[in-house]
Amino acid sequence: MSPSDPKKAAAAVWGAMPAGSTHAPGLEPGSKAFFEAVLERRSNVELRWLKELVPFAAMAGKRVLELGCGAGYDAYAFCRCGARYTGIDIAPGNPERARSHLGFYGYAPNLLRADVETLPFKPASFDVAFSNGVLHHVPNTRTAVAEILRVLKPGGRAIVMMYAENSWDYWGRLVGQ
């Protein structure tokens, strides 16, 4: 794989092992127990601030697009709150992984492999675009943001979070525990 192809590299890295695998040692990736163990750690330790920052309950009935659905952890929160959820991911296995995880709870949202720089949706398709820890990995952030704005309805809302290892959250919450 060429370092000149960052999208292929990202898809390979993010698809190599399910997100959160380090939080569920000894559990079978893809199992309900695996998903629940990772979700519990993610929700109560790693990203405990997320439920305060993202108004999941206010998403009921809204068309939500998640850019980088991973294994479906945030998708679960949106689906549980009644959002009309669509998730994309550049890693080939992640949409199926998320579909399997969400299926344990009776959810069957639209999940597909896609690139945030060339979204396969008509203009003004979504009320909300959500991205947690993805856009800083995209080779052309400007193009990605233009695509997000294109698929949002007028007055739509983009909720975007990026992370850095040298942040207070990382050092204070994750390393310090």
Side-chain angles (χ1 to χ4, degrees):
M1 174 178 358
S2 163
S4 64
D5 193 345
K7 290 181 185 183
K8 283 186 180 176
V13 168
W14 294 332
M17 141 170 68
S21 291
T22 58
H23 301 321
L27 296 175
E28 180 66 31
S31 69
K32 187 175 183 183
F34 172 88
F35 183 74
E36 288 179 344
V38 175
L39 186 61
E40 192 280 326
R41 164 76 183 195
R42 197 172 179 277
S43 299
N44 296 316
V45 177
E46 191 177 46
L47 300 176
R48 63 181 172 214
W49 47 264
L50 189 65
K51 57 188 166 237
E52 295 172 26
L53 187 63
V54 179
F56 291 107
M59 300 299 156
K62 295 193 184 302
R63 293 207 58 200
V64 174
L65 171 64
E66 182 177 9
L67 309 149
C69 65
Y73 303 111
D74 295 331
Y76 174 74
F78 283 113
C79 290
R80 197 178 80 214
C81 290
R84 294 171 47 210
Y85 177 89
T86 297
I88 67 156
D89 203 290
I90 198 166
N94 280 344
E96 187 54 42
R97 195 172 280 137
R99 186 174 292 110
S100 175
H101 286 160
L102 297 170
F104 291 129
Y105 307 94
Y107 301 123
N110 184 27
L111 293 153
L112 59 139
R113 182 175 185 206
D115 180 343
V116 69
E117 292 182 32
T118 54
L119 294 172
F121 307 108
K122 293 178 183 176
S125 296
F126 297 93
D127 301 299
V128 177
F130 172 81
S131 177
N132 183 6
V134 173
L135 290 183
H136 54 282
H137 295 292
V138 174
N140 191 331
T141 308
R142 213 177 270 265
T143 299
V145 169
E147 276 293 274
I148 292 166
L149 295 174
R150 181 184 67 78
V151 301
L152 276 175
K153 292 178 180 176
R157 181 176 186 183
I159 302 170
V160 176
M161 291 159 283
M162 296 185 221
Y163 58 82
E165 267 189 20
N166 290 317
S167 71
W168 287 108
D169 183 68
Y170 178 82
W171 290 105
R173 293 184 190 200
L174 300 179
V175 174
Q177 292 193 19

